[in-house]
Amino acid sequence: MRYIVGIDLGTTNTAVAYLDTTEGDAARVAPFPIPQMVAPGLVEPRPTLPSFLYLAPDAERPGVALPWDPAPAASVGEHARARGAEVPARLVASAKSWLCNPAVDRQGAILPFGAGDDVPRISPVDASARILAHVAAAWAHAGLPPLAGEDVFLTVPASFDAVGRELTVEAARRAGLLRVTLLEEPQAAFYSYLAHAGDAWRTQLSVGDVVLVCDIGGGTTDFTLIAVGEKDGDLVLDRVAVGDHILLGGDNMDLALSYALAQKIGQKLDAWQQRSLVHAARAAKEQILAGAADRLPVAILGRGSRLIGGTLKTELSRDEVERLLIDGFFPMTGAGDRPQRGRKTGILELGLPYASDAAVTRHLAEFVARHGRRPTAVLYNGGVMKGTALRRRLHDAIAAWDVAPGGGPSGSARRRQSAGEGSQPPGPKELVGTDLDLAVAHGAAYYGGVRRGRGVRIRGGVARSYYIGVETAMPAVPGMPPPLKAVCVVPFGMEEGTEADLPAQDFGLVVGEPAEFRFLGSSVRKADRIGDVIDDLDDIDELAPLETTLPVAEDAAAGTVVPVRLHSHVTPVGTLELWCVAAGGKRWKLEFHVRT
C-alpha cells in the first residue's frame, strides 16, 4: 500500500488527508482537496466535502453530473447543501448523528426524516456510504490508486458505542473501502497536534499533565482526557476518559440563530421556510466568525403573491452571533454545575436525541467532575471552535474552575506555579494544533504512520467497558420480571487486536427461536475486569438490543438452551465481537448491529 489515508467523516463536513509512504522519513501529511459540484455544471476541488446529500428528482439528475458519474442518484457536497436549503424536503443531513441513534432502525430507509411519500428515502448507513463512495470516486478520478487497496483510517466520535462503530465500518464496506481501521476523533486531533508540534510537545507537556481535547463540531460535542506519564524515562500518553455522546454542536447554534432571525422577520414561517432559514443562518454565521463581515443579509423564499420580490429578508450581525452563541451555549458556570435534564413528555416525536441543555460548559463541568481529573492543558478542535470569541469564553469558564473555594489557586494551578508556569494566563495551557477543519483527517493519516512505527502512540484501547445482560435465575413473582445482571465482556482499555475468554462460567444460550440479547456499556466503570458480574446498574447504560434467531443443530428442538462460555474479541479495526462457544466447539457470533 503506497498511501495511508485519513478520512474524517464529519456530521457537517468530511475531510481527507494522506501520507505517501514512498517518500520515506521525509513524508508529510498532505490534505486531499475533494472534487465536488459547487454549482450546476461546475465541479471544483474544495478543502472539505459538506456531509449533505440532495436526493435529486429525475429531471435534475443530468444537471448534477460528475466526471465519474453522469447521473448520480444523489448530489453530495457544496451543491447538495445549497440546493437542499432551497428544497429541504430532499436534503439528507446529520447522517452521522442518525448512525448512532438507537431509537431508530439505522439500516432502514428513514432519511430525509419526515419527508413526504414523493421523496425517495435511504438509511443512515447508506447515506454515510454514499459520502464515502464520493470520496473514493474523487480520489480515483485524481489518478490515485483505488482506496479499496489502501490503508484507510476512518474516524468516529470517542463517544460512539459498539453499534455505531460497527455500522460505520459497514458503511465503509458498502463504499468499497476494504482496509479500514477506526480511530477516535479526539485522539486524531491530538495526533495532528503531535505532528504539528514535532519534538516540541515534550517541552510543552510534562509528567502529570492532563490534556482535555474539546471537540465541538456540527452535530456533536466530544470530550476526551489524555494523561501524560513516564515509562523508562520517556513521556507516554494514555487516553484515560471519554465523554458520553452529546448531540450538541453547530447545528444547535444554527437553529438558535434561525429562531432569532425569524422573530426579526416578524412573520410566521412554515416548516419549509424555517428549514431554509437554518441553512441561510449557517452560511451567514460561518462568514461572520471567519471575519469576512460584521453584518450580512439573510434571505429566504416567501410564499404568496403579495410578497414583493418573492423573498423575506433580514440581516445577521456579529454582535447577535456572539451574544446568542456565547451566552446561550457557553455561559460562565461553576465546577459543580450540571446540565439541566427536564422531565420527558410521555409521547415524543421520533427524531435525534438532542441534548436537553444547550450549555456546553455545564456538560464539560459534569465530565471533568465525573472522571476526577482537572485538565492542565486543552486542545480545541471542531468547526465551532474556529470562533475566537467562543474559544475564549470556554477557556475562561475552565479557568474559573481552577480557583479553590477560598479564593486561592486550585491544586492544578499550584502545580503549574511550582513548575515555573506562574506567568501563564489563568486556566489550562492552550495547545496549538493545525487547521480545525482538517485536523482530524490530518491526525488520522499521521496515526497510520504511527502504526508503522513512526511517532508516539496514545495508549487507550476501547473507550468504554461493555457488558452482556444476563437474566437472573429465580422463582417467578407476579408483576416482577427477573432481575438483570451485567457481565463484563470487554473491560475499559482492552486493546484493539486482542481477545480473551471470560473466566470459567457457563451461561445458557437460547437457540432456534427469536431471542433478545441486551448489551450495556459504561464510560465511568474503569475498574471492572472481564467476567465481573455487576448487580448495581446505576453507572451502566443499556445499548440497542440485538434481536435474532441463532441457528440450532439438526437434532435439537427450537428454544433449546445450550451451555456456552463467552469469548470477547476487539478486532484490529476497532469493532467488538462476542462469541458463544459450546463444549463441542460450535460457536455463535453476536453481531452488535443486527436489528432483525
Side-chain angles (χ1 to χ4, degrees):
M1 285 69 67
R2 173 177 175 178
Y3 293 100
I4 298 171
V5 183
I7 300 180
D8 172 18
L9 178 63
T11 306
T12 306
N13 289 290
T14 294
V16 181
Y18 65 95
L19 269 171
D20 187 343
T21 60
T22 62
E23 297 176 1
D25 292 340
R28 294 292 181 268
V29 177
F32 174 69
I34 306 171
Q36 59 197 279
M37 177 162 288
V38 298
L42 180 61
V43 175
E44 292 181 349
R46 293 290 170 89
T48 61
L49 176 77
S51 303
F52 296 81
L53 293 91
Y54 173 67
L55 304 180
D58 292 342
E60 291 187 37
R61 289 177 65 178
V64 296
L66 294 166
W68 55 85
D69 189 348
S75 174
V76 182
E78 189 64 47
H79 172 262
R81 180 169 63 177
R83 181 63 176 143
E86 300 169 350
V87 191
R90 288 184 169 270
L91 181 68
V92 176
S94 302
K96 178 176 170 182
S97 295
W98 287 100
L99 202 61
C100 64
N101 184 359
V104 300
D105 182 359
R106 289 162 276 187
Q107 299 269 27
I110 61 173
L111 302 178
F113 198 75
D117 294 337
D118 59 326
V119 177
R121 300 193 190 194
I122 60 177
S123 72
V125 178
D126 281 332
S128 301
R130 293 190 190 196
I131 295 170
L132 292 172
H134 181 104
V135 168
W139 174 273
H141 180 71
L144 298 166
L147 283 182
E150 304 295 339
D151 281 336
V152 174
F153 293 85
L154 183 59
T155 63
V156 294
S159 51
F160 255 26
D161 62 19
V163 183
R165 292 167 189 259
E166 184 69 40
L167 292 177
T168 302
V169 173
E170 173 63 23
R173 290 194 193 103
R174 293 187 189 183
L177 308 182
L178 305 180
R179 300 179 58 86
V180 170
T181 299
L182 299 183
L183 174 66
E184 295 169 12
E185 289 163 8
Q187 283 197 55
F190 195 82
Y191 277 119
S192 182
Y193 155 73
L194 293 175
H196 177 74
D199 288 338
W201 79 268
R202 300 179 185 277
T203 59
Q204 295 171 9
L205 297 171
S206 56
V207 175
D209 271 324
V210 177
V211 181
L212 165 69
V213 183
C214 183
D215 186 357
I216 307 178
T220 58
T221 290
D222 219 358
F223 303 130
T224 287
L225 293 177
I226 296 174
V228 183
E230 184 179 15
K231 183 178 181 181
D232 299 328
D234 292 327
L235 294 181
V236 294
L237 300 167
D238 286 283
R239 192 261 285 112
V240 294
V242 299
D244 294 328
H245 198 66
I246 305 172
L247 282 183
L248 176 63
D251 291 348
N252 305 69
M253 299 175 190
D254 298 336
L255 190 61
L257 292 174
S258 73
Y259 286 150
L261 290 172
Q263 291 180 341
K264 291 173 64 175
I265 289 174
Q267 179 176 316
K268 184 174 177 60
L269 305 180
D270 61 25
W272 183 90
Q273 290 173 312
Q274 188 66 50
R275 280 184 285 181
S276 295
L277 189 57
V278 170
H279 294 290
R282 175 189 295 121
K285 175 205 71 176
E286 290 175 351
Q287 293 185 62
I288 289 173
L289 290 179
D294 288 329
R295 188 178 299 271
L296 286 173
V298 176
I300 60 172
L301 295 176
R303 298 289 183 95
S305 59
R306 293 185 300 171
L307 295 174
I308 300 175
T311 59
L312 298 173
K313 298 181 180 179
T314 184
E315 64 178 17
L316 183 65
S317 69
R318 179 178 299 277
D319 288 343
E320 289 173 307
V321 170
E322 294 187 351
R323 174 174 50 81
L324 288 168
L325 301 191
I326 291 176
D327 294 341
F329 292 87
F330 299 94
M332 292 297 292
T333 57
D337 288 350
R338 298 293 178 265
Q340 299 172 4
R341 293 181 173 89
R343 182 178 178 182
K344 289 187 176 180
T345 305
I347 296 180
L348 304 172
E349 181 182 43
L350 281 178
L352 291 173
Y354 292 109
S356 57
D357 191 330
V360 172
T361 43
R362 282 195 281 269
H363 289 284
L364 180 56
E366 180 179 55
F367 168 73
V368 170
R370 178 186 298 169
H371 295 283
R373 291 177 181 249
R374 191 66 58 83
T376 60
V378 61
L379 176 67
Y380 296 111
N381 191 61
V384 169
M385 291 287 90
K386 288 192 294 184
T388 303
L390 305 183
R391 201 166 58 248
R392 185 184 304 119
R393 167 58 71 88
L394 184 54
H395 206 87
D396 289 346
I398 300 173
W401 304 341
D402 245 359
V403 177
S410 68
S412 60
R414 289 195 301 271
R415 191 189 69 78
R416 290 201 302 275
Q417 290 174 358
S418 64
E421 300 171 11
S423 60
Q424 289 274 345
K429 295 174 287 190
E430 183 173 350
L431 304 180
V432 178
T434 53
D435 186 292
L436 295 182
D437 286 329
L438 305 178
V440 168
H442 183 279
Y446 177 82
Y447 170 71
V450 171
R451 293 267 295 225
R452 299 191 185 189
R454 298 177 47 183
V456 179
R457 185 167 183 174
I458 302 169
R459 301 184 303 190
V462 296
R464 280 171 168 68
S465 298
Y466 288 97
Y467 310 80
I468 186 74
V470 177
E471 185 177 291
T472 304
M474 62 170 288
V477 177
M480 178 185 291
L484 188 73
K485 294 182 178 180
V487 177
C488 183
V489 293
V490 176
F492 181 92
M494 186 172 175
E495 294 286 347
E496 293 87 352
T498 61
E499 50 191 304
D501 293 315
L502 268 70
Q505 183 177 4
D506 285 344
F507 298 94
L509 179 70
V510 178
V511 298
E513 70 177 21
E516 180 180 75
F517 298 87
R518 296 169 68 177
F519 291 100
L520 307 97
S522 174
S523 61
V524 179
R525 300 185 64 96
K526 301 174 186 175
D528 292 342
R529 295 291 175 257
I530 191 166
D532 285 355
V533 180
I534 314 301
D535 295 310
D536 183 357
L537 307 185
D538 285 348
D539 293 330
I540 300 178
D541 300 318
E542 188 152 1
L543 308 177
L546 183 160
E547 299 175 7
T548 189
T549 301
L550 297 176
V552 63
E554 294 181 0
D555 57 347
T560 297
V561 177
V562 180
V564 295
R565 292 189 176 179
L566 301 181
H567 178 87
S568 299
H569 180 205
V570 181
T571 70
V573 170
T575 59
L576 308 182
E577 296 177 352
L578 182 62
W579 292 85
C580 304
V581 185
K586 183 170 177 57
R587 295 156 56 93
W588 294 264
K589 184 172 72 169
L590 300 181
E591 299 276 5
F592 279 85
H593 66 284
V594 173
R595 291 298 302 271
T596 57

